[in-house]
Amino acid sequence: MAQVLLIEDDPSIRRSLGLALARHGHEVRTAETGEEGLRLSRTARPHVVVLDLMLPDVDGFEVCRRLRADSAVPIIMLTARGDDFDVVGGLEAGADDYVVKPVQPRVLDARIRAVLRRGVPEHRRVESYAGLTIDRGGMIVAKDGEPVSLTPTELRVLVELSRSPGQVFSRRQLLELVWEHDYLGDSRLVDNCVQRLRAKIETDPASPVYVQTVRGFGYRFGPV
C-alpha cells in the first residue's frame, strides 16, 4: 500500500480520485491548494505525490519545483491538456510522469505502482566508472566520493543505461524499461529526465561523459 498525496483543487475530482485510489489499496491524503500540499508533504512524508497543475494559489509548476528542491518523492502531474506547455513545463519542474485528464483511476494506479517500483533495490552490486559509483543494491550514487541525490526515475534511467556500457538505448526502449509504458513515441519524459540526471552527475552537462547522446538513435552509458 502506497501513501499518496493528492493535490487537486476540484472537489469532485479530488473526492472521486481519492476514493478510487483507496479502492486500489492506497492510503490517500488530499490537499486543495498548493500551500496545503507543500505542508502535508513535509508532515505526511508520502510515497508519491499526484499533483494538479491548475491550482488556485501556487500553481503546480511552482509546487513541483519546491517539492523537488528538498525531496526525491516521485511526482505524477495531472494536466487538463496534453499540450507541450503543460507537459514540458511540468517535466522541467521535476515531475516524473504525467496523466491527462479526465483520469482513469486504473491508469493512475498503474502509473503510481510503476514509479514506486523504480526505487525497489535489486541484488547488491557496486560498480565504479571514472569517478561515478553506482550501488544498485543500496540504490546509492556517488560522484568522486560525494553522494548524489537522485529521484527514483533518474536513478532507474542511470541503472538501466549502466547495465550495458556502450550499448545504445532508444527512447522507446527507455520508456518501456523505466516508465513501463509508451506514450506513442513521446520522448519528452526521457529527454527531460536525462537533462536533470546530467545536471547532477556530469562535471560539464553540455559535454557529458556518462550519459551520452547518440544522435538519431538515443542514449548510451560511457565512458566506453
Side-chain angles (χ1 to χ4, degrees):
M1 179 176 64
Q3 295 179 23
V4 179
L5 172 58
L6 171 62
I7 307 175
E8 164 65 61
D9 69 313
D10 187 306
S12 61
I13 295 176
R14 191 170 63 249
R15 176 176 171 77
S16 62
L17 276 184
L19 290 173
L21 290 176
R23 285 196 295 271
H24 281 284
H26 303 296
E27 179 181 327
V28 184
R29 302 285 297 273
T30 63
E32 60 181 308
T33 67
E35 291 292 353
E36 183 185 6
L38 289 166
R39 287 194 298 272
L40 274 176
S41 72
R42 291 189 290 269
T43 58
R45 297 292 183 182
H47 298 143
V48 61
V49 173
V50 178
L51 172 64
D52 183 31
L53 289 182
M54 303 300 291
L55 296 171
D57 54 348
V58 183
D59 68 35
F61 302 111
E62 178 62 19
V63 172
C64 189
R65 283 189 287 268
R66 286 165 63 176
L67 282 171
R68 191 55 74 228
D70 59 7
S71 172
V73 64
I75 300 171
I76 300 173
M77 61 182 183
L78 302 179
T79 171
R81 308 182 302 276
D83 63 24
D84 284 348
F85 178 80
D86 277 2
V87 174
V88 174
L91 295 175
E92 289 180 345
D96 296 276
D97 204 345
Y98 72 92
V99 179
V100 178
K101 293 179 180 179
V103 181
Q104 295 294 325
R106 60 182 178 80
V107 173
L108 182 56
D109 172 61
R111 301 286 167 79
I112 288 171
R113 295 180 188 276
V115 297
L116 292 174
R117 280 194 293 272
R118 294 171 205 165
V120 177
E122 50 186 77
H123 181 69
R124 194 87 185 182
R125 185 178 174 189
V126 181
E127 295 184 345
S128 294
Y129 310 87
L132 186 72
T133 302
I134 304 172
D135 178 347
R136 293 186 172 88
M139 304 301 276
I140 298 169
V141 174
K143 172 71 182 299
D144 297 329
E146 294 295 324
V148 179
S149 177
L150 300 179
T151 69
T153 304
E154 293 160 358
L155 179 59
R156 184 59 67 188
V157 167
L158 180 60
V159 165
E160 294 295 343
L161 288 172
S162 66
R163 289 186 200 280
S164 304
Q167 177 181 331
V168 179
F169 289 79
S170 70
R171 291 170 174 83
R172 180 179 292 271
Q173 285 176 302
L174 289 171
L175 278 168
E176 293 172 351
L177 287 168
V178 177
W179 284 265
E180 301 182 23
H181 61 76
D182 184 353
Y183 279 127
L184 299 177
D186 184 351
S187 65
R188 292 171 295 191
L189 288 165
V190 179
D191 292 340
N192 277 275
C193 185
V194 166
Q195 183 179 18
R196 298 197 307 268
L197 176 60
R198 283 173 171 165
K200 294 179 180 181
I201 67 171
E202 301 284 357
T203 301
D204 180 4
S207 301
V209 172
Y210 304 112
V211 181
Q212 304 171 354
T213 300
V214 181
R215 293 190 180 279
F217 294 96
Y219 298 102
R220 70 181 175 196
F221 183 80
V224 296

